[in-house]
Amino acid sequence: MKLSEVIEYNLKKFKELGLDNPLQEIRYIILETIGISLEDQIFKKELVINKSQILKLEEIFEERKKRKPLSKIFKKVYFRDIILSVNEHTFSPRIDTEVLIDVLIQQKINFKNILELGTGTGAISISLLNHYKTAKSVVTDISKEAIYIAKKNAIFNKTNNRMHYICCDWLSCFKNLNFDILISNPPYIIRSEIKNLEVEVNKYDPLISLDGGYDGLAAYRKILGSIKAIGKKNLLVLFEIGFNQASQVADIMNEYGLEKIQVFNDYCNLPRCILGKV
Ligand SMILES: C[S@@+](CC[C@H](N)C(=O)[O-])C[C@H]1O[C@@H](n2cnc3c(N)ncnc32)[C@H](O)[C@@H]1O
């Protein structure tokens, strides 16, 4: 069978399902499943694939048609310049989050000691340590399965010797915060809206990674409350936020005494992260 026929058939199916980037997803599936490069997929119009390749592809296309996200099908994600393992216990890192790392690099914000709360797969810290070669990071999560994956990813990406892992509820196990910067992409979806999210999210990302309480802001209040109690002067705080939460989170940061608050947009030009100083 010609590869172009397989692409055409599944493109129609993916479009019927309303997937956002159907052709991009199909090309990714072909590359990851049977190793045919994007160049060959595009330029070798007559390329024929064999029965075993067709069967392998069909299996993956079927999974995707059931709305399982590619990250959970292939159990991995490309995040900036690193590759991360994901599984059913971890939030799949999103491209939106990459902007947190880029903001720190572009603002020439320098630091040696990072504290990351709710690390999930370790995406933010591993990516930062990959850039800041002498920095260290303490990473936390309430999920021990997430901590396990973060450590596995750190070993794979060679940042493990500069990372320390703690399983705990936000800042409950810290007596002081001797860090230069605290970073977090906490759960920020309004609880009552979780059921309306795409199946890819509400079925395949752990509920604990999404649930931001009745107004989506519970984690910011909890973390900032603890920072007020034990944070040291000049500690930088960087949060990812929902695109419509900037003013609410800025208000909470103000309320808890943070200063010099700045909001940064992501690559779709939507407010995506907020920086402040204790
Ligand atoms: C939106 S995910 C972000 C994961 C990762 N930092 C990223 O950007 O891909 C939120 C993370 O916070 C963790 N989390 C939720 N509640 C927590 C709590 N009370 N204390 C610590 N971590 C928590 C979840 O397990 C999840 O890994």
Side-chain angles (χ1 to χ4, degrees):
M1 192 174 195
K2 279 194 205 165
L3 182 65
S4 57
E5 289 167 345
V6 175
I7 294 177
E8 204 176 309
Y9 174 79
N10 285 287
L11 185 57
K12 187 164 168 278
K13 295 284 171 200
F14 277 21
K15 279 184 179 166
E16 283 166 10
L17 281 174
L19 301 187
D20 284 343
N21 300 300
L23 185 57
Q24 202 177 325
E25 290 208 11
I26 287 170
R27 295 213 186 284
Y28 179 80
I29 289 172
I30 294 170
L31 175 67
E32 291 291 336
T33 311
I34 56 173
I36 298 181
S37 71
L38 294 182
E39 290 82 352
D40 285 355
Q41 291 184 40
I42 294 167
F43 297 114
K44 293 194 176 165
K45 299 281 182 222
E46 301 303 313
L47 194 72
V48 170
I49 56 172
N50 62 34
K51 183 83 187 156
S52 120
Q53 291 174 310
I54 293 171
L55 289 176
K56 280 187 196 158
L57 282 175
E58 268 175 6
E59 198 182 310
I60 304 291
F61 284 131
E62 281 318 302
E63 280 195 276
R64 186 63 189 107
K65 281 171 201 162
K66 291 183 191 141
R67 308 300 297 250
K68 189 169 183 177
L70 294 178
S71 59
K72 296 289 181 341
I73 294 176
F74 292 108
K75 300 192 186 323
K76 70 173 176 183
V77 156
Y78 295 89
F79 183 83
R80 282 188 99 246
D81 45 2
I82 55 176
I83 302 177
L84 299 162
S85 289
V86 303
N87 69 15
E88 70 275 23
H89 302 295
T90 57
F91 178 83
S92 296
R94 309 292 206 270
I95 194 165
D96 308 332
T97 303
E98 295 185 2
V99 77
L100 273 74
I101 292 101
D102 294 333
V103 159
L104 296 176
I105 295 172
Q106 281 158 15
Q107 298 279 308
K108 299 199 184 344
I109 296 178
N110 243 319
F111 41 78
K112 287 262 182 275
N113 293 303
I114 305 164
L115 171 61
E116 190 202 348
L117 305 180
T119 194
T121 57
I124 297 174
S125 282
I126 295 171
S127 190
L128 278 173
L129 296 192
N130 207 26
H131 183 84
Y132 294 90
K133 298 289 184 196
T134 58
K136 294 180 179 161
S137 187
V138 172
V139 301
T140 78
D141 207 289
I142 200 162
S143 152
K144 53 182 186 311
E145 289 89 357
I147 293 280
Y148 174 83
I149 292 291
K151 184 160 187 176
K152 181 177 160 186
N153 283 325
I155 292 169
F156 179 75
N157 287 289
K158 302 188 171 52
T159 55
N160 182 45
N161 60 349
R162 290 183 286 136
M163 287 171 69
H164 182 74
Y165 309 84
I166 303 178
C167 189
C168 102
D169 180 2
W170 299 135
L171 288 165
S172 61
C173 48
F174 288 83
K175 292 204 168 51
N176 55 54
L177 294 178
N178 277 327
F179 299 93
D180 304 315
I181 186 162
L182 180 154
I183 302 177
S184 187
N185 172 17
Y188 54 68
I189 311 290
I190 296 175
R191 185 171 294 153
S192 61
E193 289 179 1
I194 293 176
K195 61 179 183 311
N196 306 325
L197 298 173
E198 294 169 329
V199 178
E200 283 86 340
V201 182
N202 68 20
K203 183 166 172 201
Y204 291 99
D205 280 319
L207 181 60
I208 199 160
S209 68
L210 304 173
D211 187 354
Y214 77 95
D215 64 353
L217 304 168
Y220 301 105
R221 285 195 199 90
K222 190 98 191 274
I223 295 169
L224 286 162
S226 302
I227 291 176
K228 190 172 165 67
I230 56 172
K232 63 166 187 148
K233 188 93 188 127
N234 290 330
L235 173 72
L236 289 170
V237 177
L238 178 69
F239 286 124
E240 177 167 328
I241 51 172
F243 71 91
N244 53 1
Q245 292 174 325
S247 67
Q248 291 166 296
V249 178
D251 286 349
I252 304 174
M253 288 173 96
N254 261 317
E255 193 184 315
Y256 284 101
L258 272 78
E259 295 169 351
K260 300 195 173 150
I261 294 166
Q262 285 175 273
V263 174
F264 298 91
N265 288 2
D266 63 19
Y267 301 110
C268 297
N269 214 21
L270 296 168
R272 185 57 65 192
C273 62
I274 188 160
L275 179 69
K277 202 175 206 179
V278 173

